[in-house]
Amino acid sequence: MSFIPFDLPGFKISRTYSLENKLIITACSVQVLGHCPACQTASSSVHSYYQRSPKDLPSSGKAIRLNLLVRRFRCNNPQCSKKVFAERLPNVLAPNAQRTERLNATLQIFADNFSAEIAARVLKKVSMRVSLNTLLRLLKRAARVVIRPVKPLRIISVDDFAFKRGRSYGTLVLDLQTHRPVELLPDRTAATLAAWLRVRPLLELVSRDRSPEYARAFEKGHPRRCK
């Protein structure tokens, strides 16, 4: 049995090996039952197997890649429309996720407390390579429940992020005094941001990139603070 210096709950490790600066860990799920996500019926009837290969937290300076053999179960409830379902791995990995829950939680801490550019640079040095858009998407996810500030906003940062890379973009607004997301705008146009700025006359300082759209937004929505 191979040994790894951290837990992988619900899995049995079958192999570990190094590849350059990466550690590959192969494991098989050992859960006896799966529960249908549609009707919650328990099943032990295995339909098929498939592999998931998410990124995990690094260890000893090496990036970690998991090769997880997981199962599809047959739903035994004749009234359920979902005849086959993939087993859920709540302690390790969300459905369709490319990163483990613990890696996402760590990235979220960096996304919440640093700018995306600084966070990406620091994370790269500790073997957690991540793109700026990934960090912005994590902030977007946190902003789905918008945090309304107790005090009026005075210092903010605006940045764009991709809903769908190359096709659809939004604007994320951060309170730079609390380093928390406060607004998620549906696009990155000057008109949308200008309208948001007009109803916030107490803003004193805004951090932005060189986007001409954002520059026009400040000229239209907050001309007294635009330099």
Side-chain angles (χ1 to χ4, degrees):
M1 175 177 171
S2 300
F3 171 78
I4 56 175
F6 52 84
D7 292 331
L8 196 59
F11 286 87
K12 180 180 179 181
I13 308 299
S14 60
R15 184 187 180 197
T16 63
Y17 63 94
S18 294
L19 183 65
E20 296 181 350
N21 293 322
K22 185 182 296 183
L23 182 64
I24 311 297
I25 298 171
T26 302
C28 180
S29 174
V30 294
Q31 296 183 117
V32 177
L33 297 174
H35 289 82
C36 176
C39 67
Q40 300 304 312
T41 299
S43 174
S44 61
S45 177
V46 177
H47 175 272
S48 56
Y49 291 83
Y50 71 105
Q51 182 173 288
R52 296 184 64 178
S53 299
K55 296 178 181 178
D56 197 6
L57 282 172
S59 177
S60 301
K62 290 192 174 184
I64 301 291
R65 170 72 71 174
L66 303 177
N67 289 334
L68 305 178
L69 188 63
V70 295
R71 295 162 294 186
R72 295 185 178 93
F73 289 94
R74 297 181 180 87
C75 182
N76 296 321
N77 181 358
Q79 297 180 335
C80 182
S81 60
K82 203 170 189 67
K83 303 303 180 186
V84 176
F85 62 91
E87 66 180 312
R88 296 305 194 250
L89 311 164
N91 295 321
V92 177
L93 191 62
N96 303 314
Q98 298 179 354
R99 295 177 298 275
T100 62
E101 288 291 274
R102 57 194 175 198
L103 176 55
N104 270 335
T106 300
L107 296 179
Q108 186 75 60
I109 292 171
F110 280 83
D112 286 348
N113 291 281
F114 301 93
S115 71
E117 186 175 352
I118 291 174
R121 191 160 60 242
V122 172
L123 288 165
K124 180 180 178 181
K125 292 182 180 296
V126 292
S127 302
M128 286 188 280
R129 292 177 178 270
V130 62
S131 69
L132 296 180
N133 276 334
T134 294
L135 291 168
L136 289 171
R137 280 194 292 272
L138 288 171
L139 278 174
K140 177 195 73 174
R141 186 172 67 180
R144 286 174 183 168
V145 178
V146 177
I147 301 171
R148 300 296 179 187
V150 176
K151 298 180 180 180
L153 288 171
R154 295 188 180 277
I155 305 174
I156 65 168
S157 170
V158 297
D159 204 348
D160 63 353
F161 66 91
F163 287 114
K164 292 184 179 179
R165 187 174 297 178
R167 295 175 57 188
S168 177
Y169 292 84
T171 297
L172 186 68
V173 183
L174 298 180
D175 182 343
L176 286 183
Q177 292 180 295
T178 63
H179 302 284
R180 302 295 298 177
V182 294
E183 196 67 75
L184 184 63
L185 302 179
D187 56 46
R188 57 179 178 180
T189 64
T192 297
L193 181 55
W196 187 88
L197 290 167
R198 287 190 192 103
V199 297
R200 291 163 177 84
L202 297 179
L203 281 175
E204 298 175 358
L205 182 65
V206 178
S207 172
R208 65 172 179 85
D209 60 20
R210 296 182 179 180
S211 164
E213 281 291 299
Y214 289 160
R216 284 193 291 271
F218 295 124
E219 291 172 359
K220 294 178 180 179
H222 228 285
R224 288 178 299 175
R225 296 297 180 185
C226 184
K227 296 182 179 180

